[in-house]
Amino acid sequence: MIKIAIVGFGIVGRSFAELLLRKRETLAKRIGEFEVVLVADSKSAMYGEFDLREAIEIKKKSGRLKYDAKAVELLQELDYDVLVECTPTRIDGGEGVEHMRIALSSGAHVVTSNKSIVAAFRELEELAEKKGVRLMYEATVGAAIPVIRTIRGYLSTFTITGLAGVLNGTCNYILTRMEDEGLSYEHVLREAIELGIAEADPSYDVEGIDAAIKLVILANTIGIDARFEDVERRGISFLTPEAFKAASEKGYTIRLVAEAGDSLSVRPRLVRKGHPLATRGTMNVIVLHTEEAGSISLAGRGAGGVETASAMLSDLVAIYDSSR
Amino acid sequence: MIKIAIVGFGIVGRSFAELLLRKRETLAKRIGEFEVVLVADSKSAMYGEFDLREAIEIKKKSGRLKYDAKAVELLQELDYDVLVECTPTRIDGGEGVEHMRIALSSGAHVVTSNKSIVAAFRELEELAEKKGVRLMYEATVGAAIPVIRTIRGYLSTFTITGLAGVLNGTCNYILTRMEDEGLSYEHVLREAIELGIAEADPSYDVEGIDAAIKLVILANTIGIDARFEDVERRGISFLTPEAFKAASEKGYTIRLVAEAGDSLSVRPRLVRKGHPLATRGTMNVIVLHTEEAGSISLAGRGAGGVETASAMLSDLVAIYDSSR
């Protein structure tokens, strides 16, 4: 019986729980029986014997779970085999990293969507290795796009020389609209905030912070010992409709491109139309440069609750099912 | 000690042998010691104790290997753990399928780039399962693009509802040139033959036969019991520069798209510019439609000796190394 602890019970955590319920039978065939022994958000929890469906409903209705509790304490007290960590990203690591540290130290695997790992990547990786458990973080970059799996699995026999990506859907939506409609940055940003595509304070996205965090995760995955501070970063707010027009006349568009190679950067770049990086709307794309086979690119939706949770479910199965 | 038999010693087979030599040390760390106990082409072979580097040189210089021999017989007589099969594709299966049948029956794994598997997909899969060995065929579709791995591994917890792809680099090169330069099909085809991008008899590519074979392999991989005859197929020779012009004015281009869903088809289709299927030149792309996460697309070079051999090497390692 695999015991699963879910910490972080917002949209991603609940989507993950929903997937467990919906796919219970097929999952059981792959990894055997499992049960969720803990769900927790920042201030409340349910654990022991409880109904997962009920927990989802309670949280949806009341915004909290049944009991006042601190996840940090529960993770030290309870017995579980895998921590599914989906609390919000904090660039300094914060509680998310603490949750993972506790779980790995106690010999539990970790599956996470939490980009906080950027603050302690090597530490967590080394801890996992020391304890003989797995740290799985496919969901941190590009939602369901299987980039981490591809790098660590399939491409592990290749030589990866670098990578480039469009890693932030909000920026890409704004740039695509500016390109298509000839609208100003301010106009499209306002619209994106109204549509819920951008946050009320959009700086995390439009200044390239989110893309830089994801870039650092990818860079570490291909073996570059990088930190957030190493990324040369420029946002998109200075771009004008005129810049798009000038680019377009020469067959180019402009995208916020994250690159890792000799150095790390996130900045607006000219991209030839038809190039994989010239992706549109909220899509993300990662282009992996290999010595043996040129560039291999992976693209898909860059965000979304079910998308992210699906990546985590695939990670969970990969821990226990090595038949494929 | 893993004993490897390589059958088919053209560009792909030799590229695979070169990779084994070049990556010997890192491979040994992943899968342990290995040796090549047989290399064979259609009429000649070297086996037992021999120097792999020498075999590559002899074949390159003389077009054949040291001893007259039939691979079918050697595969029955010799002792090996994995057959690496890279003889040319024959739509009726031919010797390639016979080689794989012998290997699987004797309890050896098979890694292949040979699209002949299309003629006997279920039979070979069932034989592998019965014998408890693996049939690995990543290299049959899109060279090094990890589409088979992604479907069978990462996406095995997703619901795949269908797929679409640009699976033939020769056609895509011709269509891209027609689009960019406003040239006629005949003109670009002649040019492609001169450049070695198209065969002197190009019908296998331009009539969509190659794309249809790959489509059937992909369809089977996502669980559709399909055969070559099931594919509704139309080639690209009827397309005109005027068709591209009319499409372009509306923001579209034309690509030879292979699709699997309710039915199977290969035919020229209008594709919106900027869509993942609007890939350029000899690139291939596969778009996988999922219930959970929309479309995920994988793109890269569609052909090439080292590219194809690299996919096979990754398949080989996956058989023996399940640590990732």
Side-chain angles (χ1 to χ4, degrees), chain A residues 19 22-23 27 30 134 138 143-146 149-150 152-159 272-276 278-280 283 291-301 306-307 310-315 317 321-324, chain B residues 19 22-23 27 30 134 138 143-146 149-150 152-159 272-276 278-280 283 291-301 306-307 310-315 317 321-324:
Chain A
L19 281 176
R22 209 169 86 207
K23 295 182 182 254
L27 284 172
R30 298 286 298 279
R134 305 281 292 274
E138 184 66 79
I145 303 171
R149 181 78 60 101
T150 298
R152 293 175 64 169
Y154 179 74
L155 290 179
S156 63
T157 52
F158 290 61
T159 304
R272 214 192 44 217
K273 289 179 186 174
H275 187 278
T279 189
R280 292 174 56 79
M283 301 295 274
E291 206 170 275
E292 294 82 359
S295 298
I296 293 173
S297 48
L298 313 174
R301 291 181 191 164
V306 190
E307 289 80 352
S310 296
M312 298 176 84
L313 190 68
S314 194
D315 272 354
V317 169
D321 171 23
S322 49
S323 76
R324 286 278 173 248
Chain B
L19 282 176
R22 210 169 85 208
K23 295 183 183 252
L27 284 171
R30 297 286 299 277
R134 306 280 292 275
E138 184 66 79
I145 302 170
R149 181 79 57 100
T150 297
R152 293 175 63 169
Y154 179 75
L155 290 178
S156 63
T157 51
F158 290 62
T159 304
R272 214 192 43 216
K273 288 176 186 176
H275 188 279
T279 189
R280 294 174 55 79
M283 300 295 274
E291 208 170 273
E292 294 82 0
S295 298
I296 293 173
S297 47
L298 312 174
R301 292 183 190 163
V306 189
E307 289 81 352
S310 296
M312 299 175 85
L313 189 67
S314 194
D315 272 355
V317 169
D321 171 23
S322 48
S323 75
R324 289 276 172 247

Side-chain angles (χ1 to χ4, degrees), chain A residues 19-264:
Chain A
L19 281 176
L20 284 184
L21 291 169
R22 209 169 86 207
K23 295 182 182 254
R24 179 170 282 283
E25 279 180 44
T26 49
L27 284 172
K29 280 181 205 145
R30 298 286 298 279
I31 65 172
E33 291 301 314
F34 60 88
E35 67 176 330
V36 176
V37 296
L38 165 70
V39 295
D41 60 20
S42 54
K43 286 173 189 154
S44 63
M46 286 167 73
Y47 50 95
E49 289 205 5
F50 67 95
D51 185 64
L52 186 57
R53 168 70 55 207
E54 192 195 348
I56 295 170
E57 296 306 325
I58 290 175
K59 170 77 184 182
K60 260 197 235 169
K61 266 186 216 151
S62 66
R64 62 188 307 281
L65 291 153
K66 252 187 196 167
Y67 310 109
D68 288 339
K70 286 199 72 68
V72 171
E73 288 162 16
L74 290 171
L75 286 173
Q76 282 166 320
E77 287 160 20
L78 297 173
D79 177 32
Y80 53 94
D81 303 302
V82 195
L83 166 63
V84 175
E85 221 289 343
C86 25
T87 63
T89 293
R90 275 184 40 190
I91 204 167
D92 64 351
E95 287 200 338
V97 165
E98 186 56 21
H99 296 155
M100 293 186 234
R101 208 177 265 136
I102 295 168
L104 295 172
S105 297
S106 77
H109 304 285
V110 169
V111 173
T112 189
S113 61
N114 190 333
K115 296 185 286 283
S116 300
I117 56 168
V118 78
F121 194 87
R122 294 284 147 170
E123 180 207 331
L124 295 173
E125 282 263 293
E126 282 165 19
L127 187 52
E129 197 174 344
K130 189 177 136 199
K131 291 290 180 174
V133 292
R134 305 281 292 274
L135 170 65
M136 306 290 279
Y137 54 95
E138 184 66 79
T140 59
V141 181
I145 303 171
V147 59
I148 308 296
R149 181 78 60 101
T150 298
I151 294 171
R152 293 175 64 169
Y154 179 74
L155 290 179
S156 63
T157 52
F158 290 61
T159 304
I160 300 177
T161 55
L163 60 86
V166 168
L167 304 177
N168 182 273
T170 303
C171 287
N172 212 56
Y173 171 84
I174 293 171
L175 298 181
T176 307
R177 289 279 295 161
M178 288 177 71
E179 174 188 6
D180 288 357
E181 314 287 339
L183 296 168
S184 73
Y185 169 76
E186 291 74 18
H187 181 108
V188 179
L189 174 61
R190 211 159 42 232
E191 192 187 86
I193 293 171
E194 278 163 21
L195 287 168
I197 292 172
E199 306 281 330
D201 173 4
S203 54
Y204 180 73
D205 291 319
V206 301
E207 289 175 9
I209 298 169
D210 176 66
I213 292 173
K214 291 168 180 167
L215 177 66
V216 172
I217 294 174
L218 290 176
N220 275 282
T221 307
I222 64 169
I224 300 172
D225 187 4
R227 274 159 243 263
F228 181 73
E229 302 76 48
D230 301 332
V231 183
E232 185 196 320
R233 180 167 54 82
R234 183 164 195 194
I236 62 169
S237 60
F238 72 96
L239 292 168
T240 61
E242 290 71 33
F244 278 99
K245 196 153 169 281
S248 184
E249 278 162 11
K250 293 181 173 159
Y252 286 81
T253 183
I254 302 168
R255 291 292 180 261
L256 184 69
V257 175
E259 271 190 293
D262 293 334
S263 64
L264 300 167

Side-chain angles (χ1 to χ4, degrees), chain B residues 168 170-171 174 185 201-213 228 231-237 256 266-268:
Chain B
N168 182 273
T170 304
C171 286
I174 293 171
Y185 169 75
D201 173 4
S203 54
Y204 179 72
D205 292 317
V206 300
E207 289 174 10
I209 298 169
D210 175 66
I213 292 173
F228 181 74
V231 184
E232 186 195 317
R233 180 167 53 82
R234 185 164 194 195
I236 61 168
S237 61
L256 184 69
V266 171
R267 61 181 170 223

